[in-house]
Amino acid sequence: MTYKEKYNLWLDSKYIDESAKDELRNIKDEKEIEDRFYKELEFGTGGLRGVIGIGSNRMNIYTVGKATQGLADYLHRHYSGEISVSIAHDSRIMSREFSETTAAVLCANGIKTYLFDSLRPTPMLSFTVRHFGSKAGVVVTASHNPKQYNGYKVYNEDGNQFTDEGAEEIFSCIQALKNFSDIKTMDLEEAKSKGLLNIIGEEVDKVYIDKVKELTIRKDLVKDYAKDLKIIYTPIHGSGNIPVRRALKELGYESLAVVKEQELPDGNFPTAPYPNPEQPSVFNIALEMAKTIGPDVIFGTDPDCDRIGVVAKDGSGEYRVLTGNQTGVLLSHYIISSLKDINKLPSNGAIIKTIVTSEMATKIAEDYGVKLIDVLTGFKYIGEKIKEFEKTGSNTYLFGFEESYGCLAGTFVRDKDAVIGAVLICEMALYYKKKGMNLYDALNSLYEKYGFYKETLVSKELTGKEGQEKIKKAIEHLRHSQIEAVNNIKIIKKFDYKLRIEKDIVNNIESEIKLPVSNVLKFILEDGSWFVVRPSGTEPKMKIYMAVVGKSLDDADKKSRQFSEAIMSIIDEATK
């Protein structure tokens, strides 16, 4: 079916309301019509994500309804008896409507639903699935994307995002739905009266917050001195405001100032067009407050509160936004060293990170005799490893993190969790404060011991149908290219995660990569630098990760600039 035929199908359907049809009729640009209908909004391991609007390639109640019917069919295929699904949403435009649409479709399919009474962080949805023994979970969020986006993440019964096999089967169930009439729905009041729709709130919040507080390692330190730590926090108009503040308050952190302009939920993100703690600009207002308050630590959480960004004062007195790698490395070291200090470091402890995350964590783990495990990009693969540990007893999970500002301690959640992150970051900042150090001092001490690691990420945006084709062609070009060196430094290893081949170029030896298939390439150079190229799973972007190791901070900065210029020249040529 052509995009125009699909467009007319929506206009002619009795299941599409008139306001939606008016939106379609008012589109004058043919390219816009094509972009809205040239494909279905794809369902992958990250669920759905797209621009809000009417069309098959947009986020709306019809695409959400269709995805939910596919999920219901998948669940009935795999489970019998009573099936339940937990549902949450963040502060984005249409998030409540999409979560209620999800509940209405599931209830119409005889599936019991637990829907939060208002917005909640994504990690709380992961927890809730496990708390109620649900067979799946849905959270409506587009994480840190700009305001025009929304999304729909699906979790399995472990509270983990579906990985490849499960996501593909759900997608096949969605694709099997050919007509809007195949999508069942039910009035929410009727669903309540039948016991199918259950509104949840404080009873779940309390259990979750109590578990978060239990993750404190140096309990006496926090109990005695939490009141001394000065904190500035911004929820960036999202769902973290209440749970983050509640957890910290109950632990005794009394000196916490919230950025008022960014405190309340607002899907338009008026002070942060790109509401991502990776963007230093989201901290501008907090940094103005810092001139008066003089905080020990500043941090912010993204709209669905699964990512956390930290700001610390450097040696010159300036506040700097730490990268996700830097925060993850600090936390890895703090958790491992603290557990060792109190004689609670297990002999089979393990840290998990992704293949695009700093190798500095590997050095730290080696130093403490802790296993470091690499997984594919995506926190779902970290969650999958936690389950494996529980099943086999092979390792004890200590901590997991990824460069994109996500981390997790504990196992009662199976996704990155910025509420947990906030609690551990405050404890760590408090520990170093009592030693006369701040987090930047602590980071420098780790650099001096383990090496000056510097990582860079460039996201090359290539939108629309043409952009997606360019990304595919560029990665194929790099897959088959014979790049031997970068800046006269030899490439010694190439990892092709799609073909699952690791090639030792020096010795001309190939071996199997024992990870799921993914369209990712990684190149390692003889000086320890590396770069990775992959398509974004949630945005119209090609992501290029680059890393170097220097002899000093200045040396690492210089090497990073030169390396990045060389790599981006290769990428620009491949995407022409």
Side-chain angles (χ1 to χ4, degrees):
M1 189 183 296
T2 67
Y3 76 86
K4 206 58 184 279
E5 287 171 332
K6 205 178 289 183
Y7 167 76
N8 288 323
L9 186 70
W10 280 56
L11 284 178
D12 295 338
S13 174
K14 66 179 183 180
Y15 295 97
I16 306 293
D17 67 43
E18 282 305 310
S19 63
K21 290 178 182 179
D22 285 342
E23 181 179 323
L24 294 177
R25 293 187 191 105
N26 289 330
I27 302 171
K28 306 303 179 189
D29 182 1
E30 193 67 23
K31 277 280 183 188
E32 171 72 8
I33 295 173
E34 181 185 19
D35 189 58
R36 287 183 182 227
F37 287 97
Y38 83 92
K39 66 173 184 175
E40 299 285 317
L41 195 61
E42 291 177 8
F43 185 97
T45 56
L48 301 174
R49 191 173 298 190
V51 173
I52 300 165
I54 302 303
S56 62
N57 188 32
R58 292 289 186 270
M59 281 292 295
N60 51 67
I61 59 171
Y62 307 105
T63 51
V64 167
K66 185 175 180 180
T68 306
Q69 184 61 53
L71 173 62
D73 292 343
Y74 167 88
L75 292 171
H76 281 304
R77 181 186 292 180
H78 284 271
Y79 303 101
S80 57
E82 183 178 280
I83 302 170
S84 76
V85 174
S86 297
I87 307 166
H89 69 83
D90 69 0
S91 59
R92 286 183 174 272
I93 295 165
M94 298 293 290
S95 279
R96 187 66 190 180
E97 289 88 339
F98 293 159
S99 66
E100 288 180 350
T101 296
T102 302
V105 173
L106 290 169
C107 290
N109 282 272
I111 295 170
K112 188 175 185 178
T113 60
Y114 295 99
L115 173 65
F116 274 105
D117 54 9
S118 61
L119 76 169
R120 291 297 192 285
T122 286
M124 281 193 70
L125 183 277
S126 173
F127 169 75
T128 304
V129 169
R130 298 173 61 79
H131 178 70
F132 285 117
S134 293
K135 300 303 183 188
V138 174
V139 60
V140 177
T141 178
S143 191
H144 56 285
N145 285 67
K147 66 179 181 180
Q148 62 266 33
Y149 284 84
N150 212 327
Y152 177 101
K153 288 185 185 177
V154 182
Y155 290 73
N156 63 24
E157 62 184 318
D158 297 310
N160 196 40
Q161 281 189 61
F162 273 98
T163 49
D164 306 82
E165 190 177 333
E168 284 169 13
E169 189 177 346
I170 293 170
F171 186 42
S172 71
C173 291
I174 296 168
Q175 286 181 308
L177 302 166
K178 301 303 180 187
N179 302 299
F180 288 112
S181 58
D182 295 333
I183 303 166
K184 300 172 185 175
T185 190
M186 177 182 279
D187 177 77
L188 293 182
E189 289 305 317
E190 181 187 351
K192 280 182 192 175
S193 69
K194 291 183 175 179
L196 289 166
L197 175 60
N198 301 271
I199 305 299
I200 56 174
E202 169 58 21
E203 69 276 20
V204 178
D205 298 343
K206 186 180 186 311
V207 180
Y208 168 78
I209 294 293
D210 285 346
K211 284 185 172 291
V212 171
K213 292 187 297 180
E214 286 169 12
L215 293 173
T216 302
I217 302 171
R218 298 179 184 270
K219 298 187 189 303
D220 288 342
L221 172 78
V222 172
K223 181 184 174 185
D224 295 340
Y225 299 106
K227 62 183 182 300
D228 298 336
L229 191 74
K230 289 184 179 179
I231 306 161
I232 292 179
Y233 167 53
T234 171
I236 318 178
H237 306 292
S239 60
N241 183 39
I242 292 172
V244 168
R245 292 169 70 180
R246 176 176 176 175
L248 292 174
K249 183 180 179 182
E250 290 184 14
L251 283 167
Y253 293 96
E254 298 171 3
S255 185
L256 187 153
V258 177
V259 177
K260 292 295 178 187
E261 296 89 336
Q262 297 175 324
E263 178 181 7
L264 297 179
D266 188 337
N268 287 302
F269 309 119
T271 68
Y274 195 59
N276 186 350
E278 294 179 59
Q279 299 290 317
S281 60
V282 303
F283 293 104
N284 287 348
I285 304 171
L287 290 171
E288 279 300 310
M289 292 172 61
K291 292 175 183 176
T292 305
I293 295 171
D296 298 302
V297 65
I298 302 169
F299 59 85
T301 55
D302 69 342
D304 68 324
C305 196
D306 63 352
R307 297 168 193 248
I308 187 164
V310 179
V311 184
K313 193 180 284 188
D314 68 13
S316 65
E318 294 292 314
Y319 284 99
R320 289 203 192 190
V321 180
L322 301 184
T323 67
N325 280 309
Q326 289 171 328
T327 302
V329 161
L330 278 166
L331 282 169
S332 295
H333 180 266
Y334 177 73
I335 290 166
I336 295 171
S337 62
S338 296
L339 289 171
K340 185 177 181 182
D341 285 352
I342 63 173
N343 295 315
K344 287 188 176 180
L345 183 64
S347 59
N348 65 346
I351 296 276
I352 309 172
K353 71 175 187 68
T354 66
I355 59 171
V356 298
T357 299
S358 178
E359 287 302 320
M360 190 172 175
T362 307
K363 290 286 184 186
I364 293 169
E366 285 174 0
D367 190 29
Y368 284 89
V370 167
K371 189 169 186 178
L372 190 290
I373 297 172
D374 273 315
V375 294
L376 290 177
T377 309
F379 223 89
K380 54 189 169 284
Y381 297 112
I382 294 177
E384 203 172 44
K385 277 289 176 188
I386 295 172
K387 183 183 179 181
E388 181 187 309
F389 291 171
E390 289 181 343
K391 208 171 181 180
T392 64
S394 59
N395 292 94
T396 299
Y397 176 75
L398 302 178
F399 185 62
F401 77 105
E402 57 186 4
E403 56 74 39
S404 55
Y405 291 63
C407 64
L408 176 69
T411 60
F412 55 89
V413 171
R414 298 296 166 91
D415 204 350
K416 50 189 176 282
D417 189 331
V419 183
I420 290 172
V423 164
L424 289 173
I425 286 161
C426 287
E427 179 186 337
M428 177 170 65
L430 180 62
Y431 170 78
Y432 285 115
K433 180 175 183 175
K434 289 299 167 187
K435 290 171 72 75
M437 301 166 69
N438 62 30
L439 291 180
Y440 203 79
D441 297 330
L443 182 63
N444 277 324
S445 70
L446 295 182
Y447 282 145
E448 292 287 349
K449 185 172 184 180
Y450 298 108
F452 295 85
Y453 288 74
K454 185 174 177 66
E455 298 83 19
T456 312
L457 167 64
V458 175
S459 294
K460 191 175 179 71
E461 191 162 345
L462 295 158
T463 57
K465 186 180 179 182
E466 290 175 6
Q468 292 300 301
E469 288 171 355
K470 274 189 177 183
I471 291 171
K472 287 178 186 175
K473 284 180 182 176
I475 293 177
E476 279 306 305
H477 171 76
L478 291 167
R479 174 167 282 117
H480 300 293
S481 67
Q482 300 298 317
I483 308 167
E484 295 181 352
V486 179
N487 290 340
N488 296 317
I489 299 167
K490 286 182 182 178
I491 294 173
I492 59 170
K493 281 189 178 181
K494 178 180 179 180
F495 294 79
D496 189 327
Y497 294 92
K498 183 178 179 181
L499 302 180
R500 298 175 80 189
I501 294 172
E502 174 187 340
K503 185 169 184 180
D504 178 339
I505 294 168
V506 176
N507 299 303
N508 196 28
I509 297 170
E510 291 188 354
S511 54
E512 182 188 0
I513 296 172
K514 294 181 179 178
L515 290 174
V517 172
S518 186
N519 191 19
V520 181
L521 298 170
K522 183 172 187 175
F523 301 83
I524 298 177
L525 282 69
E526 62 182 350
D527 67 347
S529 56
W530 54 265
F531 69 100
V532 170
V533 181
R534 74 175 184 92
S536 169
T538 56
E539 301 170 275
K541 292 176 180 179
M542 183 177 182
K543 294 200 167 187
I544 304 97
Y545 304 81
M546 296 162 279
V548 299
V549 188
K551 296 174 183 175
S552 66
L553 283 176
D554 287 342
D555 182 49
D557 285 342
K558 182 182 175 183
K559 285 181 77 171
S560 180
R561 283 193 301 273
Q562 293 172 342
F563 191 60
S564 296
E565 284 173 13
I567 298 303
M568 290 315 298
S569 177
I570 293 168
I571 299 300
D572 290 343
E573 186 66 30
T575 52
K576 276 185 178 177

